[in-house]
Amino acid sequence: MLEPREGIPPVIADEAALARVIAAFEAGSGPVAVDAERASGYRYGQRAYLVQLRREGAGTALVDPVACPDLSALGDALSGVEWVLHAATQDLPCLREIGMVPTRLFDTELAGRLAGFPRVGLGAMVESVLGFVLEKGHSAVDWSTRPLPEPWLRYAALDVELLVDLRDALEKELDRQGKLEWARQEFDAIASAPPPEPRKDPWRRTSGMHKVRRRRQLAVVRELWQTRDRIAQRRDVSPGKVLGDTAIVEAALALPANVQALAALNGFGHRVGKRQLEQWQAAVDRAKALSEAQLPQPGQPVTGPPPPRAWADKDPAAAARLSAARAGVSALAEQVGMPQENLITPDTVRRVCWEPPAVVDAESVASALAGHGARPWQVEQVTPVLVEALSAKEA
């Protein structure tokens, strides 16, 4: 499919045009297909730079959330309508920022996982389920570009063109497999989930951190990461365009004594100006000046069980329970035809195996699973497997 059925719609970039779109979509019928394009890798943060919608009776709309930053009236007009998204959890945070929050949704990617499709990208799903090949060349472009080129707009319109058709076909397939109620519970859980908590110590996710062992070096990573983040936010560019993770780790390991030593490291070479080198060296120097008490601890505080590789030493019985549980979950996932992590999250299995109920029976295990956020369908499917694993003779 190379062209949207009604051609490429104009980009909505003023309040009058937005009001017409809101009226048209409110008057439309059936589910609404929704997608958003971000500028990951180009801009700071994950804001939406284009929102695409399609609904029966309203056609397709491409809305510019830079020109129209408050889309809450559009979100309100679609309240109670089922929104169809592909990989909903990726788009919901940026849609929430502009006032668009679904009360009901259908996630075609998650539906594909539950139905056992081996490839669940939108292009692969549309091809295998509907028999259309989508042109997928512009997913990683800089969507903050203005004006947006016509080929990009064509691609964006095609992303929602067949989403409701895909939803309808997947609903039938899930129903055929007896999984439609499972899917509905999953979709409800996504729609009702609160926004995620801000990540604690995000600097610890710097790529290559496993090489950084000493606390003073960790402090350098933290200082450089935080300095980079402030600059990236101020300039509205992706942090990686300001300074690469590799350079941050290199500086932390080397603890350069001055700007000349810093300039000799990978990532701080000839393209980095003198002023920039000085600000990076100042960050290194701040970390070097910290007292021992101010230095970060090597590991993040662990909540929940230790890493499974340590279980055999710490608690051999728990390791045996986990091994049995994993084998049982794996067999059940194969039997019902879906990835293990969609049947039950590995973290939930670990937590129940590390601290099982005092009395292991169907009721106590079901209660433990529900307490860790498992949906009713997951509890029903997985409880018998875990009861067996937890009741097995301890090694």
Side-chain angles (χ1 to χ4, degrees):
M1 180 170 270
L2 299 172
E3 201 68 38
R5 277 169 276 200
E6 298 104 22
I8 304 168
V11 176
I12 304 303
D14 63 66
E15 293 304 319
L18 179 61
R20 290 193 292 273
V21 162
I22 291 169
F25 273 79
E26 196 166 19
S29 61
V32 59
V34 182
D35 190 25
E37 304 296 346
R38 299 178 299 281
S40 307
Y42 297 95
R43 295 288 180 175
Y44 185 86
Q46 292 295 313
R47 68 176 290 191
Y49 283 94
L50 188 70
V51 176
Q52 307 100 281
L53 306 102
R54 183 175 179 83
R55 192 180 190 195
E56 187 69 38
T60 297
L62 303 178
V63 182
D64 179 358
V66 177
C68 304
D70 181 7
L71 297 184
S72 52
L74 177 57
D76 292 345
L78 296 169
S79 180
V81 175
E82 181 188 86
W83 296 21
V84 184
L85 299 109
H86 192 80
T89 52
Q90 290 180 23
D91 286 340
L92 288 178
C94 70
L95 289 169
R96 187 181 279 114
E97 275 182 20
I98 51 178
M100 294 186 66
V101 184
T103 50
R104 294 168 52 215
L105 63 83
F106 189 107
D107 185 333
T108 48
E109 189 217 37
L110 182 50
R113 290 178 184 278
L114 296 174
F117 283 87
R119 292 166 63 226
V120 292
L122 181 59
M125 293 285 288
V126 165
E127 191 172 345
S128 62
V129 176
L130 302 176
F132 285 99
V133 177
L134 286 181
E135 193 267 310
K136 293 297 289 178
H138 302 293
S139 58
V141 296
D142 179 2
W143 286 96
S144 68
T145 301
R146 292 295 181 274
L148 285 162
E150 187 176 286
W152 299 12
L153 296 173
R154 181 181 296 110
Y155 158 88
L158 285 171
D159 259 5
V160 289
E161 183 79 13
L162 297 168
L163 212 45
V164 173
D165 299 318
L166 180 60
R167 172 237 177 271
D168 293 345
L170 287 170
E171 183 177 59
K172 285 192 183 114
E173 179 57 24
L174 287 166
D175 195 28
R176 187 187 72 75
Q177 293 185 22
K179 298 175 181 172
L180 187 53
E181 176 53 30
W182 301 1
R184 285 181 178 141
Q185 289 180 27
E186 290 299 303
F187 303 155
D188 287 347
I190 295 171
S192 61
E197 294 284 320
R199 201 182 288 282
K200 191 175 185 296
D201 292 348
W203 58 270
R204 290 184 185 272
R205 293 176 63 81
T206 304
S207 184
M209 275 293 282
H210 61 281
K211 300 176 195 166
V212 183
R213 298 265 191 262
R214 285 157 43 204
R215 291 175 65 202
R216 183 73 56 190
Q217 295 171 330
L218 288 171
V220 172
V221 173
R222 181 174 65 186
E223 283 294 332
L224 285 170
W225 190 97
Q226 290 174 345
T227 302
R228 176 182 73 173
D229 197 62
R230 284 192 295 272
I231 295 166
Q233 191 166 8
R234 189 177 71 239
R235 287 169 42 192
D236 189 19
V237 295
S238 165
K241 288 192 177 299
V242 176
L243 186 67
D245 280 9
T246 309
I248 289 178
V249 171
E250 286 267 333
L253 295 175
L255 296 172
N258 51 43
V259 167
Q260 289 72 27
L262 182 69
L265 299 175
N266 278 342
F268 296 95
H270 60 279
R271 287 189 305 154
V272 180
K274 184 167 183 287
R275 249 186 79 203
Q276 287 174 294
L277 281 171
E278 284 170 353
Q279 77 185 359
W280 300 129
Q281 184 60 44
V284 173
D285 292 342
R286 282 196 300 275
K288 288 163 101 174
L290 295 173
S291 68
E292 282 293 318
Q294 293 171 306
L295 297 177
Q297 292 301 322
Q300 287 173 286
V302 176
T303 57
R309 63 179 177 275
W311 286 30
D313 291 333
K314 288 179 184 286
D315 188 340
R321 289 193 294 267
L322 181 62
S323 178
R326 281 173 163 174
V329 168
S330 175
L332 179 58
E334 201 164 313
Q335 189 184 320
V336 299
M338 71 174 65
Q340 293 177 44
E341 64 271 19
N342 292 110
L343 176 61
I344 190 76
T345 68
D347 181 63
T348 298
V349 174
R350 282 195 295 270
R351 286 172 185 269
V352 174
C353 288
W354 185 252
E355 287 185 19
V359 177
V360 173
D361 57 24
E363 191 179 340
S364 64
V365 171
S367 175
L369 286 169
H372 291 304
R375 262 68 73 193
W377 76 270
Q378 294 176 312
V379 173
E380 186 185 339
Q381 291 296 312
V382 175
T383 292
V385 170
L386 288 191
V387 168
E388 189 177 335
L390 299 175
S391 306
K393 288 281 181 282
E394 295 186 348

